[in-house]
Amino acid sequence: MDYFTADLHLAHPKLADLRGFDTVAAHDAAVMAPLYRLDPKQDTLWVLGDVCAGGVASMESALGQLRTLRVSMHLVTGNHDPVHPMYRGAQKHFAAYAAVFASVQQVARTKVGGEGVMLSHFPYVDVPDRLSRSNFDQYQLPNLGMWLIHGHTHSDAPRSGKRSICVSLEAWDRRPASAEEIAAEMQR
């Protein structure tokens, strides 16, 4: 079974506070707990960006925590990941991410419920950023009709558009969404 999640923000004090945790350690433990329940023999986890707070110390902490998981993982990079191409020198972090993830990419494509879907950290270009930021516009995909699974928005609603689904932790009760759940949302 494929699972999808985004915006883990491990080792991120501000997000830990915004999510109602007294400490970063408590936040990180709550984020990691559902990931430990995935079956390494049959599950795959797609992380759609923002595993950390940004910066090398946060990156190293987040990757260290994720390294303890036994499930196969793929990363689609986000704006808080130092390996994202928006950062000069991003390539110098690639080996650290590749040691944890089976693949590291800016955009990916897979199938959910027999239908092709795009995977990106960012929502489609026609989905407004609730914080009115335009500095990520060049990394957003145009909506050409395919389903998109994404993160970034921290929305508490799974549906972000007619053919797009947000898998930020806030939209799925701080846990990854299964391909079955995504397929059901696509049918609604």
Side-chain angles (χ1 to χ4, degrees):
M1 172 75 67
D2 282 346
Y3 286 84
F4 302 87
T5 194
D7 303 305
L8 304 178
H9 289 285
L10 298 167
H12 194 307
K14 181 179 179 181
L15 257 290
D17 183 55
L18 287 172
R19 289 176 174 163
F21 291 91
D22 292 331
T23 66
V24 170
H27 169 267
D28 291 3
V31 168
M32 292 294 292
L35 305 182
Y36 283 116
R37 291 193 279 276
L38 299 178
D39 185 344
K41 292 181 180 153
Q42 59 187 4
D43 296 336
T44 299
L45 179 63
W46 285 91
V47 180
L48 305 185
D50 287 1
V51 299
C52 64
V56 175
S58 176
M59 175 194 81
E60 289 172 348
S61 175
L63 293 177
Q65 292 177 70
L66 291 167
R67 188 176 289 112
T68 65
L69 296 172
R70 298 293 173 234
V71 66
S72 177
M73 295 182 291
H74 299 275
L75 176 68
V76 173
T77 60
N79 58 291
H80 283 269
D81 299 314
V83 73
H84 191 280
M86 70 187 294
Y87 297 107
R88 256 179 276 118
Q91 70 282 356
K92 69 184 174 188
H93 301 294
F94 185 81
Y97 280 85
V100 176
F101 293 95
S103 69
V104 179
Q105 56 224 314
Q106 185 177 350
V107 175
R109 184 176 169 172
T110 191
K111 283 191 171 187
V112 171
E115 187 164 353
V117 297
M118 297 297 298
L119 304 175
S120 175
H121 175 64
F122 302 101
Y124 274 139
V125 74
D126 60 353
V127 174
D129 186 322
R130 65 185 173 85
L131 301 175
S132 300
R133 296 171 294 193
S134 61
N135 50 331
F136 306 122
D137 289 355
Q138 66 187 358
Y139 301 105
Q140 291 179 273
L141 296 171
N143 185 348
L144 301 176
M146 253 183 114
W147 278 96
L148 175 71
I149 303 173
H150 68 87
H152 185 66
T153 64
H154 292 264
S155 172
D156 60 2
R159 186 60 71 92
S160 58
K162 185 175 179 180
R163 294 184 63 81
S164 58
I165 296 171
C166 178
V167 292
S168 293
L169 287 178
E170 289 79 0
W172 296 90
D173 297 322
R174 293 192 187 123
R175 64 172 179 77
S178 71
E180 288 176 347
E181 291 171 308
I182 298 289
E185 187 65 37
M186 290 165 62
Q187 298 301 313
R188 294 176 76 181

